[in-house]
């Protein structure tokens, strides 16, 4: 059995579950049905819901659970497990997780104290935008002037990024084929970035590292331009980074930040 991001899991399904009288059976998942599923997931996301796809696969006795797929990759570029391919799509669920009433006021207090708040989440872009807008992390001026809907595609450049795009932009490949962090590229992005969607724990570490190292505040010309054109204030000293996290994989980012907030009873002991 599998559960996961709808667009990722649906791409790994080649059949879907259907009712046939009083029994369930599976049929080939054609492009039209696949698009119907993704359209519903998009509708859920625009309403601020977290979407999960559920799927399964019948496996023979003695299957190798560690075998890797030859042609399917995970979102981080690693090889997918073979048992997590050629799945049967079973269901799509939209999970509503409303903000606590005190969140908006807490965000306002952060802003008034000079603390800039960004959302780093594994949610889909439209779910992340809806949550960030409700929390006042995103505000009307972050969207293009001609946009009515508060959705990801209507945001100004670099206000929202998906993890895979963020990684591609802030890392370069050197002459030896090694991945190297590009601080200049990062400094072009982070003043605008409010929401990082479909992110990995490594993205949180990259953010903490890049902000911690940034000397953008010494470039007075760029700081004046950001203030004049985008209403973005860069404080005249090094960025002090506070990071929240609840899982074991968040530990490196919590450690790299100046201040690490573990989430108490909601998180793991390692975090």
């Amino acid at each position: 059995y599998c559960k996961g991001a709808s667009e990722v899991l649906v791409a790994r399904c080649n059949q879907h579950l259907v009712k046939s009288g009083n029994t369930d059976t599976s049929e080939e998942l054609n492009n039209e049905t696949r698009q119907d599923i993704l359209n519903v997931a998009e509708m859920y996301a625009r309403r601020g819901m977290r979407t999960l796809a559920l799927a399964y696969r019948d496996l023979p006795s003695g299957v190798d659970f560690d075998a890797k797929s030859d042609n399917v990759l995970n979102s981080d570029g690693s090889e997918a497990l073979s048992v997590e391919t050629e799945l049967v799509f079973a269901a799509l669920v939209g999970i509503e997780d409303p903000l606590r009433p005190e969140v908006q006021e807490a965000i306002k207090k952060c802003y008034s104290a000079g603390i800039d708040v960004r959302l780093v989440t594994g949610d889909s872009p439209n779910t992340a935008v809806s949550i960030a807008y409700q929390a006042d992390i995103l505000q009307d001026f972050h969207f293009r002037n001609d946009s009515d809907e508060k959705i990801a595609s209507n945001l100004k450049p670099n206000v929202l990024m998906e993890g895979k795009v963020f990684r591609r932009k802030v890392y370069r490949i050197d002459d030896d084929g090694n991945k190297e962090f590009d601080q200049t590229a990062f400094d072009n992005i982070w003043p605008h970035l409010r929401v990082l969607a479909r992110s990995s724990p490594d993205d949180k570490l990259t953010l903490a590292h890049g902000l911690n190292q940034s000397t953008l505040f010494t470039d007075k010309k760029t700081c004046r331009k950001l203030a004049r054109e985008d209403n973005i204030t860069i404080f005249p000293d090094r960025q002090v980074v506070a990071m929240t996290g609840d899982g074991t994989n968040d530990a490196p980012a919590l450690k790299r930040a100046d201040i690490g907030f573990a989430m108490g009873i909601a998180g793991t002991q390692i975090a």
Side-chain angles (χ1 to χ4, degrees):
Y1 295 93
C2 285
K3 70 177 186 335
S6 50
E7 69 273 17
V8 174
L9 216 58
V10 169
R12 297 191 184 189
C13 294
N14 58 9
Q15 297 187 70
H16 66 114
L17 200 60
V18 294
K19 277 281 186 189
S20 179
N22 294 324
T23 60
D24 291 331
T25 185
S26 60
E27 291 180 354
E28 180 186 354
L29 181 60
N30 59 37
N31 288 336
E32 184 180 354
T33 304
R34 192 186 304 274
Q35 192 57 52
D36 285 344
I37 295 167
L38 294 176
N39 287 344
V40 174
E42 179 78 3
M43 180 185 70
Y44 286 166
R46 290 186 180 202
R47 289 161 56 185
M49 293 183 180
R50 294 189 164 99
T51 60
L52 276 181
L54 312 179
Y56 73 94
R57 178 179 173 180
D58 292 322
L59 299 170
S61 177
V63 67
D64 182 1
F65 282 94
D66 296 321
K68 298 296 176 68
S69 169
D70 293 329
N71 53 11
V72 179
L73 299 177
N74 294 318
S75 58
D76 62 1
S78 61
E79 295 173 320
L81 295 172
S82 288
V83 294
E84 294 180 343
T85 63
E86 299 180 10
L87 300 166
V88 180
F89 174 82
L92 179 75
V93 295
I95 304 168
E96 194 165 28
D97 186 11
L99 292 177
R100 296 180 183 181
E102 65 268 23
V103 168
Q104 273 191 330
E105 187 59 33
I107 298 292
K108 287 176 183 175
K109 285 182 179 178
C110 286
Y111 287 152
S112 66
I115 299 169
D116 207 5
V117 183
R118 290 171 168 80
L119 176 64
V120 184
T121 176
D123 287 328
S124 69
N126 278 325
T127 300
V129 167
S130 176
I131 292 168
Y133 186 68
Q134 291 174 55
D136 281 345
I137 293 172
L138 286 176
Q139 298 181 36
D140 289 337
F141 62 81
H142 289 118
F143 296 86
R144 296 198 306 266
N145 292 333
D146 60 346
S147 60
D148 293 324
E149 276 193 292
K150 306 305 182 194
I151 56 175
S153 59
N154 287 339
L155 285 165
K156 293 176 181 177
N158 291 338
V159 173
L160 173 138
M161 277 192 182
E162 287 192 63
K164 61 184 179 183
V165 176
F166 175 71
R167 291 188 289 273
R168 193 165 64 240
K169 288 194 173 187
V170 302
Y171 284 100
R172 59 172 177 255
I173 306 300
D174 64 19
D175 295 338
D176 298 323
N178 299 315
K179 196 168 71 168
E180 187 178 67
F181 182 68
D182 186 342
Q183 185 68 50
T184 302
F186 181 87
D187 283 346
N188 288 332
I189 292 168
W190 74 257
H192 304 274
L193 186 66
R194 314 304 303 172
V195 179
L196 191 58
R198 285 284 183 249
S199 68
S200 71
D202 284 346
D203 293 332
K204 295 176 79 168
L205 179 59
T206 299
L207 265 179
H209 175 75
L211 287 167
N212 208 273
Q213 287 197 141
S214 179
T215 56
L216 182 61
F217 66 91
T218 64
D219 185 348
K220 302 303 181 187
K221 182 178 178 181
T222 299
C223 290
R224 286 195 296 271
K225 183 180 178 183
L226 286 167
R228 182 177 65 253
E229 296 182 3
D230 301 297
N231 197 29
I232 293 172
T233 301
I234 304 296
F235 295 114
D237 52 14
R238 185 181 73 79
Q239 300 294 310
V240 178
V241 185
M243 185 74 71
T244 61
D246 57 6
T248 301
N249 291 340
D250 289 325
L254 295 175
K255 195 171 181 179
R256 183 65 180 85
D258 297 290
I259 304 159
F261 291 107
M263 302 304 286
I265 60 172
T268 65
Q269 187 59 41
I270 290 175

